[in-house]
Amino acid sequence: MTSATPGAAPLVHIQNFRMDFGEKTVIEDLSFDVLRGETFGFLGSNGSGKTTTIRALLGIYRPTAGTLHIDGRVFSDTFGSRLGYLPEERGLYKKESVLDVMVYFGRLKGLGKAAARTFALDYLERVNLGDKASVRLDKLSGGQQQKVQLGVTIMNDPELLILDEPTKGFDPVNRRLLMDIIEERKLAGATVVMVTHQMEEVERLCDRIVLLKNGRAEAYGTIDEVQNLYGGRTVRLKYSGALPASDKFTVSVRETNYAELGLADGVDEAEVLRALVEAGVAVRGFTAAKRSLEDIFIEVYGDENAPAGQEQH
Amino acid sequence: MARHNLGTVVSFEFLRTVKKRRFWIATLAIPVLLAVIFGLVFLSSSSTSSSADAQKNEKLDFSYADASGVIDPAIATAMGGSTAADPADPAAAVDAVKNGTLAAFFDFPADPAKDPVRVYGVDNGIFKNGAYDAVARQLMVLSAQKAIGSPQLSALVQGEFSTTSQTFKNGVESGGIGSVVPPLFFLVIFYAVIILLANQMLASTLEEKENRVTEMILTTLNPTTLVVGKVLSLFMVGLVQMVVFSAPIVVGYLFFRDRLNMPDFDLSHLNLQFWPMLVGALLLLGGFILFTGVLVAIGAVMPTVKEANTVFGPVIAMIFVPFYAVALVVSDPQALIVQIFTYFPMSAPVTAMLRNAFGSLGPVEAGIVIVELFVLGFIALRVAVHLFRYGSIEYSRKLSLKEAFGRAPARGRKM
């Protein structure tokens, strides 16, 4: 799955990063690398410091201590033409026309006026906004504005794409569009950093991940490595009926007619299946697998009662 | 890249302002208003002028009594006048006017220079009634001119002659009022630029914050480039506005000056002296940089235009404060309050420009104020850029200066 360039220097290098805001320490000591060409998941609960780390990496915040490099150097606007950044706080010049804003950012990212205009018009056609080019941004719906912002993010064919909560506020159509674009950028050799809570997307797209907790890297590596780190096996169950209480498994995910079961120590999948059948559960699907990232995420962050919404900084 | 981006920012910011209908409505409102006023003045002036010409030459049946002996009977007769039946009894003539048997009666006193000429006439409406006064006056002028017997003397008596004057200071010709006016143009430009553009400067840097576009901008271009680009574009917008505002005045002056009763500016009297003009230009530029930096900084700290206006008002008021002491600025430049205004940064541009125009700003003082304005201006711009960089990310709250400068490079480890 990984398309990272082996042996090459990492594109993003963070070492012993610390970030204080007054008396409050948001990041204590964080280190990780993002390899060239890989898709990297940056995970953590609300308020854990993900956005702070990205802002420090991009020079918006000054770190209290540590090294944050992109392509071997501290970020400066000269790298801006190689960067595509979709911030968590979304916004564009709302009083201007879609085309003017896209051309403006294209020009700032180093494109010629004609190239920026061509890209913008092609992109708008692709996302069914071809007739909105001359419309003011504040006349578009929220979803349409998201599409425009996404277009601005990728219009310079960025070498490094940093997406902070990329699916936040996206409807399923826009989410699909975003995923297609990430896939395209991956195929084109771009390095992608995703800051997200969407574990399903992380499992599907990311080569490696880091889990941030209490200002440190709780887990870091490929998805397999992280799953192995937390050990355990899980059963993905499609069923009808009522799940029984049992000492053979715990229910980590429970949805209508779907559940993920964590197996107790020394218990194998056959014993669990037997217990379910004996309890009268109609089993329609039964898949043994490693623990899902979502399951691990819940285990790691389950003890936190983090408020939902934006990070403090 | 930085220069390319600066051009891109200037172009974007300038075009998006001048492309807006609202901008042109606001900008054209003043010249259109001026044009309407000028038009009314033009029509009124034409009407009044032709009416006055017609009235003073109008032949009017009147009688008069002349106690001064100045009135020439031949001229009076030519203008339709006749001596009153009983010059010693003006009341009878007035009664005749009252009952309508006499159109008008002029009673010239023994000393017209001291006492008024009494004019009585039958009411012909507010506009035509002016004819009585015009004819009486014209009769007196023509009679006096005839008595003098010399058109040249008549003109001189009426003050119709010009003078040229030269004054000297330390053996060198001094400029007089003609040298005061040109440097004052810089003061006018300063006021125009600040008043026209200050709000836009404030709103312009707040816009990134209010639109949540700061992070996209800060990772794409240098904030200094953005701020400088915005300032340059605003200056260009200001130039456009000044051209539009002044266009009707220039057109009116060049082509309709007489009709609009505009004063005849004899530009040859203006004395452009090199040093006062240079000092004026530098004070203007330094003052512009200082105020721009301060306004951008306010925009970076405050979360909304509404909150920024609470700080913005007092800053702008500072450019008007020196006018409370303008008499002292002109007459006693060494007064303590004038000295304070001269060196206090926010009042320095106006005070120094006034003193420069009136010749009371010495070279050392001028040098100190210019250096002060440029140094503080660039510091203000640097601080403004810093605050923009670290303040505009605080989308919904006022930036704490302690926090902003706490995030300065000195505190974080240099990477």
Side-chain angles (χ1 to χ4, degrees):
Chain A
M1 182 165 152
T2 182
S3 49
T5 309
L11 185 59
V12 174
H13 173 63
I14 295 179
Q15 188 171 2
N16 303 124
F17 167 47
R18 178 187 177 89
M19 190 78 204
D20 296 338
F21 289 100
E23 300 301 312
K24 184 178 179 185
T25 298
V26 176
I27 301 291
E28 196 169 310
D29 184 5
L30 180 63
S31 300
F32 66 88
D33 290 338
V34 178
L35 306 179
R36 289 171 196 274
E38 76 172 341
T39 298
F40 189 85
F42 189 23
L43 314 179
S45 60
N46 291 326
S48 60
K50 304 185 297 297
T51 297
T52 297
T53 303
I54 295 298
R55 286 177 176 173
L57 176 67
L58 297 179
I60 297 168
Y61 288 157
R62 294 274 184 184
T64 307
T67 302
L68 296 96
H69 282 176
I70 296 179
D71 203 16
R73 312 172 71 170
V74 173
F75 176 83
S76 73
D77 58 290
T78 54
F79 192 86
S81 59
R82 296 159 63 191
L83 171 74
Y85 175 44
L86 184 67
E88 185 188 15
E89 285 281 358
R90 310 281 161 74
L92 292 168
Y93 293 98
K94 291 188 171 59
K95 303 289 183 192
E96 311 308 318
S97 78
V98 171
L99 186 60
D100 284 351
V101 169
M102 291 192 76
V103 170
Y104 177 51
F105 275 98
R107 300 269 290 143
L108 292 180
K109 287 166 179 275
L111 297 181
K113 191 171 183 179
R117 187 180 169 82
T118 302
F119 177 94
L121 292 173
D122 289 348
Y123 175 81
L124 292 172
E125 282 296 332
R126 175 185 172 182
V127 299
N128 299 319
L129 293 176
D131 59 335
K132 306 287 186 191
S134 58
V135 174
R136 267 173 37 167
L137 267 156
D138 60 358
K139 303 293 181 192
L140 300 185
S141 69
Q144 289 171 329
Q145 290 183 32
Q146 296 271 22
K147 287 179 179 175
V148 175
Q149 181 119 28
L150 195 54
V152 168
T153 304
I154 61 165
M155 72 186 305
N156 54 327
D157 287 336
E159 186 182 328
L160 173 62
L161 194 57
I162 297 179
L163 308 169
D164 193 349
E165 305 287 3
T167 54
K168 179 183 171 185
F170 273 36
D171 62 24
V173 175
N174 281 350
R175 187 172 297 188
R176 180 71 259 159
L177 171 70
L178 174 71
M179 293 305 140
D180 288 347
I181 285 171
I182 292 174
E183 297 268 19
E184 282 173 21
R185 297 316 311 156
K186 274 188 74 169
L187 290 173
T191 305
V192 182
V193 176
M194 287 176 67
V195 181
T196 183
H197 290 132
Q198 302 297 320
M199 295 302 133
E200 190 183 325
E201 285 156 5
V202 171
E203 279 189 86
R204 189 160 65 84
L205 291 169
C206 291
D207 302 307
R208 297 192 311 136
I209 59 172
V210 63
L211 268 72
L212 184 63
K213 186 179 183 186
N214 297 330
R216 293 174 177 274
E218 171 77 13
Y220 170 48
T222 64
I223 290 177
D224 273 348
E225 287 170 345
V226 171
Q227 286 175 321
N228 290 338
L229 177 69
Y230 284 88
R233 288 157 296 137
T234 190
V235 166
R236 292 175 184 163
L237 177 69
K238 291 180 182 172
Y239 72 102
S240 58
L243 286 176
S246 171
D247 58 359
K248 291 184 169 54
F249 59 84
T250 55
V251 181
S252 54
V253 175
R254 187 196 298 264
E255 295 171 4
T256 308
N257 299 332
Y258 176 81
E260 290 181 9
L261 311 179
L263 275 57
D265 288 342
V267 176
D268 63 22
E269 290 83 356
E271 288 178 76
V272 171
L273 180 60
R274 195 177 307 120
L276 291 170
V277 172
E278 285 173 358
V281 175
V283 176
R284 298 208 171 91
F286 188 93
T287 308
K290 290 181 179 177
R291 294 178 71 189
S292 70
L293 278 184
E294 185 160 331
D295 195 11
I296 294 171
F297 190 92
I298 290 169
E299 180 184 323
V300 171
Y301 300 107
D303 56 336
E304 294 182 2
N305 189 22
Q310 192 193 342
E311 294 182 15
Q312 284 180 314
H313 293 281
Chain B
M1 188 71 180
R3 188 174 297 173
H4 161 81
N5 279 346
L6 180 62
T8 303
V9 172
V10 171
S11 164
F12 177 72
E13 296 286 343
F14 176 73
L15 287 177
R16 76 188 178 121
T17 302
V18 299
K19 274 162 61 177
K20 284 193 168 56
R21 196 186 309 162
R22 192 179 54 191
F23 167 80
W24 286 107
I25 290 172
T27 303
L28 287 173
I30 291 176
V32 166
L33 190 64
L34 282 177
V36 169
I37 292 170
F38 282 178
L40 290 173
V41 170
F42 182 87
L43 292 174
S44 167
S45 177
S46 301
S47 164
T48 306
S49 174
S50 55
S51 168
D53 285 345
Q55 284 176 349
K56 72 182 180 185
N57 296 316
E58 195 170 335
K59 190 162 183 177
L60 188 71
D61 288 332
F62 63 89
S63 70
Y64 66 94
D66 178 25
S68 68
V70 175
I71 300 301
D72 185 287
I75 294 174
T77 304
M79 293 178 72
S82 58
T83 308
D86 183 3
D89 183 16
V94 173
D95 285 342
V97 172
K98 283 181 180 173
N99 61 33
T101 56
L102 179 62
F105 171 66
F106 306 152
D107 186 8
F108 294 98
D111 185 357
K114 282 186 179 175
D115 302 319
V117 176
R118 298 185 185 281
V119 175
Y120 307 91
V122 174
D123 182 30
N124 289 324
I126 195 162
F127 292 107
K128 285 193 172 180
N129 286 346
Y132 300 128
D133 188 66
V135 170
R137 187 173 289 276
Q138 183 73 351
L139 174 58
M140 175 60 82
V141 168
L142 292 176
S143 298
Q145 283 178 345
K146 189 173 179 185
I148 291 169
S150 162
Q152 185 188 29
L153 285 176
S154 296
L156 292 176
V157 164
Q158 292 177 60
E160 293 176 0
F161 60 93
S162 62
T163 61
T164 61
S165 61
Q166 285 179 295
T167 55
F168 297 90
K169 186 176 182 182
N170 300 326
V172 180
E173 184 178 358
S174 58
I177 193 71
S179 65
V180 171
V181 174
L184 281 179
F185 281 126
F186 293 112
L187 186 61
V188 174
I189 293 170
F190 179 75
Y191 271 110
V193 166
I194 297 298
I195 290 169
L196 288 175
L197 302 181
N199 241 318
Q200 291 183 54
M201 285 176 196
L202 200 68
S204 179
T205 47
L206 271 163
E207 194 181 15
E208 272 71 22
K209 188 187 290 194
E210 291 191 324
N211 281 328
R212 302 289 199 267
V213 73
T214 304
E215 283 179 86
M216 296 282 284
I217 284 290
L218 288 179
T219 53
T220 309
L221 84 162
N222 189 311
T224 306
T225 306
L226 179 75
V227 169
V228 172
K230 281 175 176 289
V231 170
L232 290 177
S233 69
L234 282 174
F235 196 74
M236 289 164 59
V237 168
L239 287 179
V240 169
Q241 286 184 311
M242 278 193 271
V243 167
V244 174
F245 289 166
S246 58
I249 297 171
V250 172
V251 170
Y253 181 80
L254 290 178
F255 301 108
F256 308 104
R257 188 176 68 222
D258 295 335
R259 296 293 190 186
L260 295 173
N261 289 331
M262 293 175 88
D264 182 9
F265 297 113
D266 186 356
L267 300 181
S268 66
H269 287 171
L270 296 183
N271 187 357
L272 298 178
Q273 294 180 316
F274 177 74
W275 285 111
M277 294 302 285
L278 179 65
V279 169
L282 290 174
L283 289 171
L284 169 66
L285 190 57
F288 178 75
I289 292 170
L290 177 62
F291 273 82
T292 301
V294 170
L295 291 173
V296 172
I298 293 171
V301 172
M302 297 296 177
T304 63
V305 172
K306 190 177 172 186
E307 291 186 60
N309 274 331
T310 59
V311 183
F312 164 76
V315 171
I316 292 303
M318 290 305 296
I319 68 172
F320 294 101
V321 164
F323 273 93
Y324 285 101
V326 70
L328 271 179
V329 171
V330 174
S331 63
D332 186 8
Q334 297 310 314
L336 178 63
I337 188 71
V338 177
Q339 290 295 310
I340 291 172
F341 284 166
T342 302
Y343 295 110
F344 182 68
M346 308 310 284
S347 58
V350 169
T351 311
M353 276 190 265
L354 272 173
R355 290 185 57 190
N356 176 54
F358 284 96
S360 66
L361 190 70
V364 175
E365 288 177 304
I368 292 172
V369 176
I370 288 168
V371 169
E372 174 192 323
L373 289 178
F374 273 86
V375 168
L376 291 180
F378 281 112
I379 290 174
L381 271 179
R382 293 278 299 178
V383 170
V385 168
H386 183 88
L387 291 175
F388 178 79
R389 183 179 197 103
Y390 296 102
S392 52
I393 199 73
E394 302 293 352
Y395 290 118
S396 54
R397 69 184 179 98
K398 193 176 98 178
L399 174 72
S400 152
L401 294 181
K402 188 178 168 187
E403 278 182 32
F405 289 103
R407 286 173 208 167
R411 189 166 164 250
R413 177 180 150 191
K414 191 175 180 182
M415 295 182 294

